[in-house]
Every structure is written in C-alpha cells, then in structure tokens.
C-alpha cells in the first residue's frame, strides 16, 4: 500500500488553469473528502479517466472553486497507482487552500520528483526516461525539447539495451559452463565473443561522442566576448540580448567582471559572457577582471574577438588576438562599421570575420548564420544525443572497462579476469538503465525535480 501524496503540479503563479495532483492507494477517497461531483455520486465511482464537474471545498468546508476532477485507476496511470487530478482556476489562493484541505483529509505533501520516482519504481518509466522528464520540463529550445521527448519515449534506453544484453549473454554463458560442468552446454570460448565485444565498445563510444553536442543542446554554448577595453563588447552583448544587460560608457575599463546572458542567436543558444577588456593594468580590481576574462576565454566553446573597426589595430588588439587564435573555435567581429572602416579583414588571421555594428544591428544576422553553421547538429535531436553529465560519466566508465576487457583478451588473460572488466562495464551501464541502480543514486537523480512532478 502506498501513501497518498498531493502537490500542485503547475506552479503557484497566477494562471488560467492550475492542477492539483494526487497519487496512491485510496486517493479517490481522500479527494472525495474535499470534492463533490455535481452528479451527487462519490468520486470513487466516477468513470475512469474522464473529467467530471464538481465543487472543491477548503478545510473549513467553504466552496473555493467549481472545477473539474479526473480519477484514473491503476495501473494505467503516470505513476502506476490510482491518481486524481483537480483542474482548477489558476488562483494561487485556491490551489493552496485546496492542497491544505487534502492534507487534512489524509494526503501528505509530495516530495521533489516523487510522482516520477513512483513511476520509475513501479516500472512505468525506465531510469533514462525518468531523468529525461526534467530535461523536457526545463528545455528552452525546440531541439532540446525534441531530444528530451525522444528520451522520455525510450530512445536512449533502446540504444543501450542491446549492448547490455550482449554482455549478459556472455557472462551467463561463462558461468553456466563453470557452474554446471556436467550439463550439455556449448563450450565457452572468449574468442567467439571478440567481435561482439568490439561492436559493443564501438556503440558506447558513438554515444559518448554525442555528449559535446548534448551539453550545448542542454545548457547552451559558452561564448566569450573578448577584446581590449572600449571596443564595444558590452554593446554587442546588449544588441544580441535585445536589452541593456551590461553597462555601456565611453570610459575604458567599465566592465570589471564577467557578465553572462543566455541568448538565442539564430537557432543556437549561446551563453554570452561579456568580459573585462584584456590589457595590462595597475588597477588591482581591473586586473582581477582581466584574469577572469582569460579564464572565460580558455573555457569557452566559442571565442568572439571584437575590435573597433573605426580605429587602426593596436598592440593591445594584437595581443588579445594571439590569445584567441589558440582556441579552436574563434571568430572575429569588426565592430562599429557605422563609423567607418579603418581595419581590413586581411589584418585579422581568423577563418571567420564579419563586419558588424552593435549600434545599428548591421551584420548580426550574418553572425547568427555563422553560429548556426559552427554548431550544426551532427546527430538528430530525437533522443539519441547524450545530454546528462551523470549518464555520460557512467557510460564513459563502461566504455573504459570494455577497452580493458578487449586488452585482456588480446593479452590472453583467463576468462574470469576478462569478465571482471565486462561485469564492471555492466554495473556502470546499470547506473544509466536502472538495472543495478543504488538507492543513493536514485535519490540524487530525483533531487533535480520540482514538487508536483
């Protein structure tokens, strides 16, 4: 028997509709204590999965809303348990009063992610599917939503299942021969499994390679805007953001710390980082800002070098350029094109150079097209892209164990030694699929969720 849990699943801000969700054995009886169907029948007798009109009351019995309720019977529900949802008018006061009445009637507050956790524990969702639920909720681009939806649908689980099954077959064959020597079981030979082990390792490697794209898909590409002071870096950030996010003045050194803003540039989300102007300075505070600028440049997925195109290049410009050219993904923007052109693209040793004006917007569309080209999707956003750092780490460990197994096979180690690595690969994969997941890992996963989901 599971406790009845309840929570608002649509947030507490004012909206047209707000939903209170319950799950657990006896939830219809608990919900019926605060809700009366207009038909006069008990909620527990309502048709399965059909919205019914009725009256919701608070803990003092006062009418607080005329709303809809839907009773869904196990096991054909999200959690695999009996569930009830109230579809109310979206007043936070109504939702709070309704929730308090449910607590008084016998429900308890749901913990973060408890509905989805119950779905996982009841076999309604695999672990990769459960983790993808929060990614779908937090998706801020269509591509991120499409990939998360694919994972909720089980795409990632299906990619890993054949590898896990192969390794299970290998280990079970070995142990069957070892434990039942008198049975008529085909002799075990590691060499017969070499090709399948290589194919499985290759499959894991192919999945690992998608993580670079997946990390950007999920969080956006870190794009450091760098240059000497007063070339228009903050103005560029503001132009791309569409509002005055950073302070802009004619005084060199205005920006003394990194300023970040997440912005859609074309179809790509960039985490723009406006940095302090890079130059030698005796000002201790500005020097700290310059140090942070260099760190942002080093860690960026994209480096955007900006110079003032209305003035000739200076030694400071060239020094910053040298730092940028060490990065594999760098572009140059010749800013202030509306004030004349004193800088030729031939002076800039970059593969991608664009004339722009942060003041007028000239060249920003061309820059957006370039960004989309640089971060073009190599893998379809259908759930095949690995976006989760925890999953990436587990699959990386599984892949490394597979390499160790193949190396042991090559060196002629005994089967039990090779299978130790295979079993370690299976254990790591189990942390992703849920096959061997520990309670502490499960708890950590659902900590990311919001209450009501």
């Amino acid at each position: 028997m599971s406790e009845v849990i309840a929570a608002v699943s649509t947030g507490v801000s004012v909206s047209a509709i707000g939903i209170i969700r319950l799950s657990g054995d006896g939830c219809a009886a608990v919900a019926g204590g605060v809700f009366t169907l207009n038909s006069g029948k008990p909620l527990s007798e309502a048709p399965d999965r059909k919205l019914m009109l009725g009256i919701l009351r608070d803990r003092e019995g006062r009418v607080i809303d005329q709303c809809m309720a839907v009773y869904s019977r196990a096991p054909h529900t999200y959690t695999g348990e009996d569930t009830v949802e109230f579809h109310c008018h979206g007043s936070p006061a109504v939702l709070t009063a309704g929730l308090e009445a449910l607590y008084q009637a016998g429900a308890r507050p749901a913990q973060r992610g408890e509905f989805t956790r119950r779905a996982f524990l009841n076999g309604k969702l695999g672990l990769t599917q459960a983790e993808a639920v929060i990614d779908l909720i937090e998706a801020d681009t269509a591509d991120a939503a499409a990939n998360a939806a694919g994972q909720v649908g089980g795409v990632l689980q299906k990619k890993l299942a054949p590898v896990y099954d192969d390794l299970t077959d290998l280990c079970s064959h070995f142990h069957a021969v070892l434990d039942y020597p008198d049975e008529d079981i085909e002799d075990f030979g590691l060499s017969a499994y070499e090709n399948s082990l290589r194919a499985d390792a290759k499959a894991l490697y192919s999945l690992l390679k998608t993580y670079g794209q997946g990390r950007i898909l999920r969080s956006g590409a870190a794009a450091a805007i760098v240059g000497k002071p007063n070339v228009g870096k903050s103005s560029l950030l503001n132009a791309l953001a569409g509002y005055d996010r950073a302070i802009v003045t004619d005084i060199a050194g205005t920006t003394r710390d990194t300023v970040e803003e997440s912005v859609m540039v074309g179809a790509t989300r960039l985490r723009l980082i406006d940095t302090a102007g890079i130059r030698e300075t005796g000002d201790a505070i500005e020097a700290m800002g310059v140090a942070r600028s260099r760190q942002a440049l080093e860690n960026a997925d994209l480096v955007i070098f900006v110079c003032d195109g209305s003035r000739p290049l200076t030694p400071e410009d060239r020094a910053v350029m040298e730092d940028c050219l060490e990065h594999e993904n760098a572009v140059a923007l010749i800013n202030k094109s509306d004030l004349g052109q004193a800088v030729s693209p031939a002076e800039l040793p970059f593969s991608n150079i664009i004339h722009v004006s942060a003041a007028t917007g000239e060249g920003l569309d061309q820059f957006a097209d370039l960004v989309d080209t640089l971060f073009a999707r190599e893998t379809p956003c259908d759930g095949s892209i690995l976006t989760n750092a925890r999953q990436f780490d587990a699959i990386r460990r599984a892949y490394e164990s597979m390499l160790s197994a193949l190396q042991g096979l090559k060196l002629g180690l005994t089967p039990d030694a090779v299978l130790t690595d295979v079993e370690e690969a299976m254990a790591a994969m189990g942390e992703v699929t849920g096959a061997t997941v520990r309670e502490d890992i499960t708890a950590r996963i659902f900590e990311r969720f919001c209450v009501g989901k």
Side-chain angles (χ1 to χ4, degrees):
M1 297 289 288
S2 59
E3 294 179 283
V4 176
I5 57 173
V8 176
S9 60
T10 50
V12 293
S13 59
V14 175
S15 59
I17 302 294
I19 297 176
I20 301 174
R21 173 183 286 174
L22 299 91
S23 182
D25 297 324
C27 65
V30 172
V34 302
F35 181 80
T36 305
L37 288 173
N38 284 357
S39 66
K41 293 182 178 180
L43 180 61
S44 59
E45 297 180 9
D48 190 39
R49 289 179 285 182
K50 183 177 180 181
L51 284 166
M52 305 291 289
L53 185 63
I55 299 298
L56 182 66
R57 301 177 185 275
D58 67 10
R59 60 192 303 170
E60 297 176 7
R62 297 176 300 181
V63 175
I64 55 174
D65 198 8
Q66 178 173 267
C67 63
M68 308 292 287
V70 57
Y71 176 31
S72 301
R73 293 167 174 81
H76 305 297
T77 64
Y78 179 72
T79 61
E81 305 168 337
D82 284 354
T83 63
V84 173
E85 285 186 353
F86 293 122
H87 293 237
C88 309
H89 293 92
S91 160
V94 167
L95 298 174
T96 299
L99 200 57
E100 290 176 349
L102 288 168
Y103 295 157
Q104 186 180 46
R108 70 161 173 81
Q111 299 173 358
R112 295 173 68 93
E114 189 167 4
F115 291 95
T116 303
R117 181 169 183 164
R118 289 188 177 195
F120 165 63
L121 294 176
N122 291 329
K124 304 300 289 186
L125 293 174
L127 192 59
T128 58
Q129 294 169 287
E131 286 191 275
V133 169
I134 192 63
D135 291 337
L136 184 55
I137 292 171
E138 295 177 346
D140 53 11
T141 67
D143 281 346
N147 194 70
Q151 291 190 358
V152 171
V155 171
L156 184 56
Q157 193 92 6
K158 291 173 183 175
K159 280 185 168 293
L160 290 172
V163 177
Y164 195 87
D165 288 346
D166 271 355
L167 303 185
T168 301
D169 288 344
L170 187 156
C171 291
S172 61
H173 185 187
F174 171 75
H175 288 293
V177 172
L178 187 67
D179 296 338
Y180 303 100
D182 297 330
E183 298 293 330
D184 187 19
I185 301 174
E186 181 183 355
D187 289 340
F188 179 82
L190 267 177
S191 58
Y193 288 96
E194 182 174 1
N195 289 338
S196 64
L197 284 175
R198 292 191 182 282
D200 291 337
K202 184 178 180 180
L204 293 179
Y205 179 69
S206 295
L207 189 57
L208 288 174
K209 286 199 304 181
T210 69
Y211 181 66
Q213 179 181 340
R215 179 179 55 79
I216 292 172
L217 182 66
R218 181 176 181 174
S219 304
I225 306 173
V226 298
K228 73 176 186 182
N230 221 26
V231 294
K233 299 185 298 298
S234 296
S235 296
L236 178 64
L237 173 70
N238 291 342
L240 292 170
Y243 75 106
D244 290 342
R245 172 65 177 86
I247 297 174
V248 176
T249 73
D250 292 331
I251 303 172
T254 301
T255 302
R256 295 195 167 202
D257 199 353
T258 55
V259 177
E260 297 191 25
E261 183 68 12
S262 183
V263 174
M264 289 300 296
V265 177
T268 305
R269 179 163 295 284
L270 294 184
R271 288 186 290 111
L272 292 173
I273 307 167
D274 178 23
T275 65
I278 297 178
R279 64 173 178 178
E280 296 298 325
T281 176
D283 185 312
I285 297 177
E286 186 180 357
M288 291 175 65
V290 171
R292 292 190 179 186
S293 297
R294 295 188 185 280
Q295 183 178 9
L297 187 155
E298 182 178 341
N299 296 332
D301 298 301
L302 173 66
V303 171
I304 305 169
F305 169 74
V306 182
C307 65
D308 181 350
S310 67
R311 301 172 181 269
L313 293 176
T314 67
E316 284 182 338
D317 286 310
R318 299 186 189 282
V320 177
M321 273 196 292
E322 290 298 319
D323 291 335
C324 293
L325 291 171
E326 294 179 4
H327 199 283
E328 63 179 348
N329 216 12
V331 301
L333 301 185
I334 303 175
N335 193 24
K336 305 186 182 182
S337 59
D338 54 310
L339 300 180
Q341 296 185 9
V343 176
S344 166
E347 299 178 74
L348 306 178
F350 291 84
S351 299
N352 296 292
I353 304 168
I354 301 175
H355 285 279
V356 301
S357 170
T360 68
E362 177 188 346
L364 295 186
D365 287 344
Q366 187 180 352
F367 173 63
D369 291 340
L370 173 60
V371 169
D372 283 342
T373 299
L374 292 174
F375 294 100
R377 310 289 184 224
E378 298 176 2
T379 305
C381 299
D382 59 359
S384 302
I385 301 173
L386 193 62
T387 61
N388 184 300
R390 189 195 71 83
Q391 294 173 354
F392 171 77
D393 178 66
I395 294 174
R396 176 190 58 78
R397 286 185 279 114
Y399 174 67
E400 289 175 353
S401 293
M402 292 292 289
L403 293 184
S404 294
L406 287 166
Q407 180 66 13
L409 185 62
K410 182 178 179 180
L411 294 174
L413 299 184
T414 59
D416 58 321
V418 174
L419 263 62
T420 297
D421 289 320
V422 171
E423 289 171 353
E424 286 181 358
M426 292 177 66
M429 289 180 63
E431 294 177 19
V432 178
T433 64
T436 58
V437 69
R438 303 190 308 272
E439 177 61 25
D440 56 339
I441 295 176
T442 304
R444 180 66 59 85
I445 288 167
F446 290 99
E447 285 175 1
R448 293 183 53 226
F449 279 70
C450 51
V451 173
K453 194 62 181 177

